[in-house]
Amino acid sequence: LEVEGRGTRLEPVDGHGGACYNKCPMPTQRGGRRTAGKAGKAKAAADPVDRVRAICLALPDTSEKVAWGEPTWRVRGRLFAQLDDHHHGADHLAVWLPAPLGEQEALVKADPARFFRPPYVGIRGWVGVRIDGRPSWRQVAALVEQAYRHVAPATKGRRRG
């Protein structure tokens, strides 16, 4: 998987994009080299994974790393988004995001078809956001940015919050 604009090439370790703790039977990750051109750009805009990737990598000091068999996005090494591509048989394509206290519960209660408590990290307040179907990309982008700010180390020019 080549991360566009970063000059970085991520190689799958075990044919599933990385080490999966319990040798999950899921098929190999999407991947391969991205193609340039108008047709490639139109396809990239329609692919939800590419849209999440573009949203995440547009934020300052971010990088993409395959972990647990899925793409993750980090700010200065700190995880702020993880893809859930039907992992371990889930019925959805989603992104998991850390959220401020109370946000997970409020989102899941307001729209349980779109938001859920993800396994492993849900207990720590992360929220799962479905990106299959017809998500509100404006809302997805706002939630990704909120997760980024929640996790990003405080610097002179940027406050956490």
Side-chain angles (χ1 to χ4, degrees), residues 10-79:
L10 304 173
E11 295 293 335
V13 175
D14 64 359
H16 184 178
C20 190
Y21 287 145
N22 44 2
K23 305 295 183 205
C24 141
M26 297 305 294
T28 303
Q29 287 278 39
R30 311 170 205 254
R33 189 173 294 272
R34 306 271 186 241
T35 58
K38 289 181 182 176
K41 286 181 184 177
K43 184 178 179 193
D47 182 26
V49 176
D50 287 336
R51 288 188 80 165
V52 168
R53 176 175 287 120
I55 291 166
C56 292
L57 293 177
L59 298 166
D61 301 321
T62 59
S63 60
E64 181 174 354
K65 178 180 178 182
V66 174
W68 309 290
E70 303 281 8
T72 63
W73 293 275
R74 299 159 189 264
V75 53
R76 296 188 180 179
R78 294 181 177 186
L79 184 66

